[in-house]
Amino acid sequence: VRQIGGNSQPIYGAGKFVQFGGSTTPFSAINDVLSQWSMDVVSREGGKALRQIRSNMLKAGVGSLDEGSRVLREMFPCLIPVLIDGDERANNAAATEEDDSATPEKRAVTISMDALKVLLQVFVTALCRKQDNPVIMFIDDLQWADEASLEVILALLKFNSVERFLFIGAYRSNEVPHSSDHPLRKYMGSVQEALGGGVGGEEKVDDNQEENGGDNNKNYNAVKHVEIGSLSHKDVAQYIADTIDKSPTDVTDLADVVFDKTMGNIFFVMQALEELTRRNIIYFDIMTYEWNYNLNLKKELTLFVENDVLDMIKNKIDGLEKVHQRALILAAYTRNMIDAETLQCLLSSDGTYL
């Protein structure tokens, strides 16, 4: 979904809900998306994008220093550079004294949910209208989303004024069964009622339908439900072939071994290929300038993948230097993303440095 270069480069933001002790931080994934959108827009040259967004919001009745803007800034401080320019922040001390210690769930206590949904609709609409570039929101692990976040997402999807907006949501289907009363199932049903499409999990993407332009009677502003399973043997062979620049028939025996062990789980396939490369079973031949694998080591290869894949990953971690192992341990206690500066700060607190 990320296009590179040219005027069609989208404004892309990704977030992921993380479960801690059976609950998740309200709006956490949405805050991640807004933060990435904000950094993207601010980084674009000339400031034209920022002026267009502020102008569009003003036309919708939300000025830079209005109450609506203040609500957005308090809920999502990451939006401050987009909503207010430097001069306005300097001339309005209140705008620069945001309570950084207040998390979104604490701020939400004093803010009407209906008002927040409307303000986010206004902001996303202004963002989408700033230029022809599409705006993309990708959120992973929706099965752990809090209901407030699901309400906001539903409000954005049902808002007719939002154009050139693509929402991609991923969830673990085994944790949201069709017959369950899981909150996500309820909200997907609401989207289906409002927009149509196979949201409930009963429709799969048909490649032939896509190639033929689809069913003209369907609403293509609506929803596509794509069930993603494990890779087939043919897919694994193609993936390996693409990775080492061979044809699928050239890697049949390697694909057999990898598929038999991983059963097509793409994460395990990737880990297996990385480990095989680390062990020099898959290698780059400097004489022929191409990737190859050692057929004479097929027995060793078979013995290697007989180990459990999780053990393989554990062994990979065990092979790291102590400082890198410590970094992984600290990172595991954070959310799904951590920047290098924060990680270095955590490491330095116990006298460890990368």
Side-chain angles (χ1 to χ4, degrees):
V1 297
R2 301 193 204 197
Q3 299 176 21
I4 300 175
N7 295 327
S8 63
Q9 184 174 1
I11 300 173
Y12 177 85
K16 177 183 176 72
F17 286 107
V18 181
Q19 184 184 43
F20 287 115
S23 63
T24 189
T25 304
F27 305 118
S28 59
I30 292 176
N31 186 72
D32 290 341
V33 172
L34 294 176
S35 179
Q36 292 174 43
W37 282 350
S38 177
M39 289 188 291
D40 187 331
V41 171
V42 170
S43 66
R44 303 208 176 199
E45 297 179 0
K48 181 180 178 181
L50 289 173
R51 290 192 296 271
Q52 288 179 330
I53 292 171
R54 291 168 188 159
S55 174
N56 290 336
M57 291 194 69
L58 184 60
K59 292 176 183 177
V62 181
S64 296
L65 300 177
D66 290 348
E67 177 67 12
S69 176
R70 184 191 68 80
V71 168
L72 285 176
R73 296 195 310 269
E74 289 186 356
M75 281 295 299
F76 305 103
C78 60
L79 293 180
I80 292 176
V82 177
L83 299 175
I84 308 180
D85 63 30
D87 292 336
E88 288 175 323
R89 290 199 296 272
N91 295 331
N92 294 271
T96 61
E97 294 177 356
E98 305 289 347
D99 181 6
D100 291 335
S101 65
T103 56
E105 69 270 22
K106 292 179 180 177
R107 301 184 190 101
V109 174
T110 58
I111 297 172
S112 162
M113 188 63 193
D114 288 338
L116 178 62
K117 289 190 288 187
V118 170
L119 289 169
L120 284 173
Q121 286 173 337
V122 170
F123 174 76
V124 174
T125 300
L127 184 66
C128 293
R129 288 179 175 174
K130 88 172 185 60
Q131 53 189 359
D132 291 335
N133 295 8
V135 176
I136 300 172
M137 170 187 281
F138 171 67
I139 296 185
D140 197 9
D141 282 327
L142 281 170
Q143 74 278 358
W144 290 330
D146 57 287
E147 289 210 44
S149 295
L150 292 175
E151 281 193 45
V152 167
I153 294 171
L154 176 62
L156 293 177
L157 296 178
K158 292 174 66 175
F159 194 51
N160 293 330
S161 296
V162 176
E163 301 174 348
R164 293 186 292 274
F165 175 68
L166 173 64
F167 172 79
I168 304 172
Y171 66 93
R172 301 180 186 181
S173 57
N174 62 310
E175 296 193 24
V176 190
H178 299 309
S179 58
S180 74
D181 57 356
H182 193 286
L184 179 59
R185 184 64 59 187
K186 178 183 70 174
Y187 282 96
M188 288 195 298
S190 297
V191 172
Q192 184 174 12
E193 288 181 11
L195 302 178
V199 188
E202 298 165 357
E203 176 180 321
K204 297 182 181 179
V205 171
D206 185 333
D207 292 336
N208 293 328
Q209 184 184 39
E210 293 292 330
E211 293 173 0
N212 294 329
D215 184 346
N216 293 329
N217 295 324
K218 285 187 176 292
N219 175 8
Y220 280 97
N221 291 323
V223 182
K224 278 287 185 184
H225 184 276
V226 182
E227 185 174 339
I228 301 176
S230 297
L231 300 179
S232 66
H233 183 282
K234 179 181 178 181
D235 294 332
V236 170
Q238 185 66 60
Y239 180 82
I240 295 174
D242 290 343
T243 301
I244 62 176
D245 196 22
K246 299 277 188 181
S247 70
T249 55
D250 291 335
V251 297
T252 301
D253 49 357
L254 180 59
D256 289 343
V257 176
V258 173
F259 180 79
D260 288 345
K261 182 57 189 177
T262 64
M263 298 307 296
N265 182 304
I266 183 59
F267 173 74
F268 290 161
V269 170
M270 293 168 64
Q271 291 296 318
L273 292 180
E274 286 182 15
E275 184 66 11
L276 293 174
T277 304
R278 189 178 72 84
R279 294 192 176 205
N280 210 37
I281 295 174
I282 299 176
Y283 63 95
F284 186 76
D285 191 333
I286 60 174
M287 300 298 293
T288 60
Y289 291 97
E290 65 179 358
W291 285 94
N292 213 329
Y293 60 97
N294 196 333
L295 292 176
N296 295 327
L297 293 178
K298 186 175 180 182
K299 181 178 179 181
E300 180 183 337
L301 172 63
T302 304
L303 291 174
F304 160 66
V305 294
E306 283 178 356
N307 296 323
D308 188 84
V309 178
L310 294 179
D311 288 337
M312 176 184 69
I313 298 172
K314 181 178 180 297
N315 292 335
K316 184 177 178 181
I317 295 174
D318 289 341
L320 297 175
E321 296 181 14
K322 294 298 182 183
V323 63
H324 295 150
Q325 291 182 13
R326 179 61 178 167
L328 287 176
I329 291 172
L330 292 173
Y333 280 91
T334 67
R335 296 184 61 249
N336 59 299
M337 292 184 291
I338 182 171
D339 59 85
E341 183 178 355
T342 301
L343 183 57
Q344 184 62 71
C345 181
L346 292 173
L347 286 169
S348 62
S349 65
D350 60 3
T352 307
Y353 298 91
L354 286 174

